[in-house]
Amino acid sequence: MKKTSLFIGLAFGIALTFFSCAGRQEAKEIRSGELWLDDAGIHVNAHGGGILYHEGTYYWYGENKSDTTSAAMVGIMCYSSKNLTDWKNEGVVLPVVTNDTTSDITQGCIMERPKVIYNEKTGKFVLWFHLELKGKGYAAARSAVAVADNPTGPFKYLRSGRINPGKLPFDMTDEQRAVFDTLDIDKYKEWWTPVWYDAIAKGLFVKRDLEGGQMARDMQLFVDDDGKGYHIYSSEDNLTLQIAELSDDYLTHTGKYVRIAPAGHNEAPAIFKKDGTYWMITSGCTGWEPNEARMFSAPSIWGPWTQHPNPCIGDDAHLTFHGQSTYVLPVHGKKDAFIFMADNWRPKHPSDARYIWLPILFREGKPVIKWFDSWTLDDFSNGKLEEMNLALMDSIR
Ligand code: DGJ
């Protein structure tokens, strides 16, 4: 009798464990800096990337990096996932061109920081990326656009170019315009002097590039709640960020743009919106070497943008934990859950670069980024991160 009830009890326990496990999968650990294997057991190759959430699936787009060079030898990659930890390789969604050396995207060009947004009106997926022409270093500073009917492509390459030729920032005042008109590039042959910085802030390079269009290197896309799309990029030889409005189909620029942090030398802009405030995390400009993150906020996409201290705290915060921002991902279906995504570059072995994904904490409403060896998406709802937020309130940097 005793044995029977023990057996029934055990069987009941096992069944209970089985059904509760089957009903709900434990969120898997996110371990920044380690190898992240895809469905084929290969390290995810999607650097400088960004993520699109569409109809229940996350699509991660990024640069395919080879073992020996950071130039584009393959093209833009896409991986898909339902849970942000198991990634299926969806392949190359925009390949480099291998049979036409006159193509903008001929093999050996530079394709960086691809981002994809979905256009509700046209039903198309729009990919923008930073393009440098083969053999020209970083001089071209172009933006390129491609379009697809499906998130996994194939993307059709449309064109590349500088941004908003002939257009001045729309918020330039008459006073600023009067000073701008007096700027003479021939008077500023020597770079990095105080007078040169001052002239840059007043728009020296906007004027230099007015006719051909503004330069654009590190870039981001952002779709606002009203469906309007924006392109945020390091312009003016990486000295000033610009935010430009995209056309309704997201395939061109409307001519409306503003400058942010003139002469502030920002790269790697990653933008998100929380409770009506726009936040932007950027880096300084030190090539592939990490530097201290910067942070800005604004009540409107058009500004005014205010700079805040580095959002990172703790060991190696001054080096953004050896990473450089690439995207901030709002986790679907979880309020106030944002993931800071950064690249830990390995320029000597570019394909071995690692990913840093950290949950964004908030101290008195301001984003704070802290290193975690390991965390899970459940931490957004199980109270762990909230506890940290509270602890942060009392902490001293
Ligand atoms: C830093 C940028 O953020 C990267 O995307 C890349 O352009 C490197 N510079 C090249 O040195």
Side-chain angles (χ1 to χ4, degrees):
M1 187 66 181
K2 255 190 179 172
K3 265 190 187 163
T4 323
S5 53
L6 189 71
F7 175 76
I8 293 172
L10 251 170
F12 184 71
I14 289 168
L16 203 71
T17 317
F18 175 79
F19 285 117
S20 56
C21 287
R24 200 194 146 280
Q25 282 205 331
E26 285 288 311
K28 292 190 184 158
E29 284 181 304
I30 295 177
R31 300 182 70 89
S32 294
E34 299 195 352
L35 285 172
W36 288 10
L37 306 183
D38 66 9
D39 57 329
I42 297 167
H43 183 45
V44 171
N45 199 338
H47 309 277
I51 290 185
L52 169 75
Y53 177 82
H54 186 74
E55 293 180 352
T57 302
Y58 292 96
Y59 297 91
W60 177 357
Y61 303 89
E63 307 157 21
N64 178 298
K65 293 237 181 251
S66 78
D67 294 346
T68 52
T69 170
S70 281
M73 305 309 286
V74 174
I76 309 290
M77 300 295 293
C78 177
Y79 292 80
S80 66
S81 173
K82 298 267 184 208
N83 59 8
L84 289 171
T85 45
D86 294 309
W87 290 100
K88 174 171 181 250
N89 185 349
E90 300 284 359
V92 186
V93 290
L94 179 68
V96 294
V97 170
T98 50
N99 59 0
D100 178 5
T101 54
T102 65
S103 163
D104 290 356
I105 56 168
T106 194
Q107 191 175 46
C109 68
I110 291 172
M111 295 163 109
E112 286 183 353
R113 299 186 175 266
K115 304 288 176 303
V116 172
I117 49 180
Y118 175 66
N119 190 294
E120 292 277 355
K121 285 185 189 141
T122 61
K124 305 274 184 199
F125 296 83
V126 180
L127 160 68
W128 284 90
F129 60 97
H130 164 206
L131 175 76
E132 296 293 348
L133 302 176
K134 184 176 180 179
K136 306 262 189 236
Y138 278 81
R142 290 193 191 186
S143 299
V145 60
V147 67
D149 292 327
N150 294 298
T152 51
F155 281 82
K156 182 176 179 287
Y157 180 73
L158 297 180
R159 63 177 184 282
S160 77
R162 292 276 181 96
I163 296 181
N164 288 328
K167 302 283 183 198
L168 287 175
F170 87 92
D171 59 343
M172 198 181 242
T173 63
D174 290 348
E175 292 76 34
Q176 286 168 337
R177 177 66 200 264
V179 175
F180 178 85
D181 285 344
T182 66
L183 294 172
D184 177 359
I185 192 103
D186 291 331
K187 289 197 186 136
Y188 301 94
K189 295 249 162 24
E190 198 186 336
W191 285 39
W192 317 117
T193 65
V195 282
W196 176 88
Y197 267 113
D198 186 53
I200 293 294
K202 288 172 175 153
L204 187 69
F205 286 176
V206 174
K207 190 170 184 177
R208 180 196 66 186
D209 297 334
L210 194 58
E211 208 185 311
Q214 301 298 307
M215 297 175 104
R217 292 195 183 119
D218 281 9
M219 58 147 279
Q220 192 58 249
L221 298 178
F222 179 71
V223 175
D224 212 337
D225 304 331
D226 59 2
K228 275 223 170 287
Y230 299 90
H231 186 186
I232 302 108
Y233 47 93
S234 298
S235 191
E236 305 173 33
D237 269 298
N238 288 353
L239 283 149
T240 300
L241 291 163
Q242 296 183 356
I243 295 190
E245 186 182 64
L246 293 172
S247 55
D248 283 349
D249 59 9
Y250 302 160
L251 298 177
T252 55
H253 298 86
T254 63
K256 186 173 179 181
Y257 73 98
V258 290
R259 303 171 70 224
I260 301 169
H265 235 180
N266 286 280
E267 278 191 326
I271 191 166
F272 67 105
K273 189 178 181 184
K274 180 180 178 287
D275 302 330
T277 298
Y278 298 79
W279 292 96
M280 180 161 57
I281 298 171
T282 68
S283 74
C285 299
T286 49
W288 301 111
E289 294 304 315
N291 55 54
E292 184 167 17
R294 294 106 179 262
M295 184 166 72
F296 301 83
S297 73
S300 148
I301 191 94
W302 299 126
W305 286 87
T306 307
Q307 187 158 3
H308 303 272
N310 175 9
C312 303
I313 58 164
D315 288 350
D316 289 337
H318 66 295
L319 292 176
T320 318
F321 314 113
H322 301 270
Q324 187 184 26
S325 41
T326 185
Y327 198 72
V328 172
L329 174 68
V331 180
H332 183 79
K334 292 197 191 219
K335 194 177 171 329
D336 298 342
F338 299 92
I339 302 176
F340 171 71
M341 293 169 48
D343 294 286
N344 166 232
W345 301 114
R346 308 252 162 132
K348 291 199 178 121
H349 187 175
S351 61
D352 190 37
R354 306 297 169 89
Y355 308 104
I356 296 173
W357 287 18
L358 297 168
I360 297 187
L361 306 170
F362 291 92
R363 175 167 52 191
E364 288 173 334
K366 263 195 195 178
V368 172
I369 306 168
K370 179 185 170 319
W371 177 264
F372 289 88
D373 286 337
S374 156
W375 63 283
T376 77
L377 287 185
D378 280 352
D379 295 344
F380 282 120
S381 35
N382 62 14
K384 263 196 205 165
L385 296 177
E386 239 158 72
E387 225 172 81
M388 296 242 169
N389 285 343
L390 289 176
L392 276 174
M393 296 284 265
D394 315 320
S395 69
I396 301 160
R397 291 189 90 131

